[in-house]
Amino acid sequence: MAPKPHYLPAALIGGFGASEAGRPAGLRHAKVCVRRRKEPEKVFGPLKAENIAYQYGLYDVDAPSSELPADFAETIWQAYEGALPAAIRALEQGTVTRDDWKTILSHVQAQSIRHPDYDRVAVTYIQEDGVPTPGRDHVQRQRQTTFRETRRWMAQARFALIRRGTAAPRFVLNDKGYIPMHDTLLDLKGVLFPLSGEIAVLMVVGAARPADDYEAGPLAERILNVKGMEIVNQVAWTVSEITCVMGHPDDAGYLLQLPETGPTVRLPRLGPYCGNREPSFFHWTLAGIGVPEPREGEDFRWGAQTP
């Protein structure tokens, strides 16, 4: 296992921060500011990305076997983490290749099982399946199962690249690395994965069409307006069981002002995106099959479920 078993890639965290002159190069050494759930009245930092979002023993295996190797988790992370920063830069710059996109998809797939809160969810599921007192290896096997199953329903999803508008604040990142969403107008669920201060990937579950090739790249690209970005960042702070949110050191005051919000928010009158009147975050998924008429002020529900 790595010296610090991160449940959120350090290089991903660094993409939300700033490098200091004279310091070692690399996103792991970039610094971010942090607002913690236990002390929401404070913002800490700047802190090195490599010193955030890790937990010893989280992926330990008590009885390693060929089906559950001791390093099963690290093997999954190493398969994509090294290529992740370059893939995110390619998305930012509009030069993404199929291989870059497959690296992003690997991150989406793995992030569903990395956070410590996964253990709580897995124990509940295993108990409902007939195991009254699940051990650590039960949870690790369920991690493997969830990892495989996540890829199957990713194949039934549609993906969009989401950029921040020039006047909008930067994306912030919670330590789960994602934001569950529910569009009540279209009755679709999705997950937003911030990848840097500039971009995110939005996955809408069950929206795929038979001719889709989800590994080819994002189906659409949208730019968040100021209100749309404010909604996204507010909800990043309220996702169930996170421990913190992180952002650029220049945004420390902005992090401190993120309000508590309920599971339902009111969408902007002209929609969350720049340059169109799509009334919700998910209307791009309906390209070519007809779009419902916009309804001003439509509610948008943010779920607490994990992907």
Side-chain angles (χ1 to χ4, degrees):
M1 295 293 291
K4 290 181 179 178
H6 287 87
Y7 54 86
L8 198 61
L12 175 76
I13 296 171
F16 291 80
S19 299
E20 292 185 344
R23 296 289 183 179
L27 291 174
R28 296 176 62 90
H29 301 284
K31 292 190 174 183
V32 297
C33 56
V34 180
R35 184 183 182 190
R36 294 179 175 142
R37 264 291 173 204
K38 289 185 177 180
E39 299 177 89
E41 72 283 356
K42 301 178 182 178
V43 174
F44 296 87
L47 305 174
K48 276 188 178 182
E50 66 179 354
N51 293 330
I52 303 169
Y54 67 91
Q55 180 173 311
Y56 291 106
L58 182 57
Y59 310 117
D60 285 359
V61 176
D62 293 330
S65 65
S66 57
E67 291 78 22
L68 185 65
D71 62 348
F72 83 97
E74 192 64 21
T75 298
I76 295 173
W77 317 154
Q78 289 179 353
Y80 74 91
E81 278 193 357
L84 187 59
I88 293 172
R89 285 196 302 274
L91 269 180
E92 287 180 340
Q93 297 167 2
T95 59
V96 65
T97 66
R98 188 180 181 95
D99 285 343
D100 292 328
W101 180 243
K102 290 173 78 170
T103 296
I104 300 296
L105 293 177
S106 294
H107 165 68
V108 169
Q109 180 183 8
Q111 205 55 51
S112 66
I113 63 170
R114 292 191 69 157
H115 194 270
D117 186 48
Y118 178 84
D119 291 36
R120 174 186 62 84
V121 177
V123 165
T124 299
Y125 179 83
I126 296 167
Q127 288 174 334
E128 291 173 350
D129 203 36
V131 180
T133 55
R136 178 156 54 186
D137 287 3
H138 287 96
V139 172
Q140 308 301 31
R141 291 190 188 94
Q142 187 60 44
R143 267 195 169 88
Q144 291 179 311
T145 299
T146 300
F147 181 72
R148 292 190 296 268
E149 292 177 346
T150 296
R151 193 65 180 214
R152 287 198 289 270
W153 55 254
M154 285 170 62
Q156 301 303 314
R158 281 186 156 182
F159 295 81
L161 171 61
I162 308 297
R163 298 184 183 275
R164 77 172 180 113
T166 54
R170 283 178 279 245
F171 282 100
V172 303
L173 178 70
N174 64 42
D175 71 326
K176 281 194 171 183
Y178 57 79
I179 305 169
M181 304 162 67
H182 180 196
D183 186 330
T184 55
L185 175 58
L186 302 178
D187 194 23
L188 288 172
K189 293 182 179 181
V191 188
L192 184 77
F193 293 84
L195 297 176
S196 74
E198 300 297 323
I199 63 169
V201 164
L202 177 55
M203 175 179 64
V204 180
V205 181
R209 304 292 178 261
D212 285 359
D213 177 4
Y214 79 106
E215 292 186 335
L219 176 73
E221 182 173 327
R222 293 292 185 270
I223 300 174
L224 281 170
N225 57 32
V226 173
K227 182 59 177 178
M229 180 62 84
E230 288 176 350
I231 291 172
V232 166
N233 285 342
Q234 287 172 15
V235 182
W237 170 240
T238 64
V239 171
S240 174
E241 303 298 332
I242 65 165
T243 69
C244 65
V245 290
M246 297 154 271
H248 194 281
D250 291 346
D251 296 339
Y254 176 75
L255 285 187
L256 194 59
Q257 294 171 12
L258 292 175
E260 302 292 340
T261 61
T264 302
V265 297
R266 185 71 67 180
L267 281 169
R269 183 174 61 87
L270 299 180
Y273 297 125
C274 300
N276 64 51
R277 291 285 307 270
E278 291 177 352
S280 80
F281 286 89
F282 289 3
H283 267 66
W284 54 268
T285 64
L286 303 179
I289 62 171
V291 180
E293 288 297 316
R295 299 207 297 259
E296 290 187 2
E298 178 68 27
D299 284 345
F300 192 86
R301 186 169 295 277
W302 301 78
Q305 77 281 3
T306 56

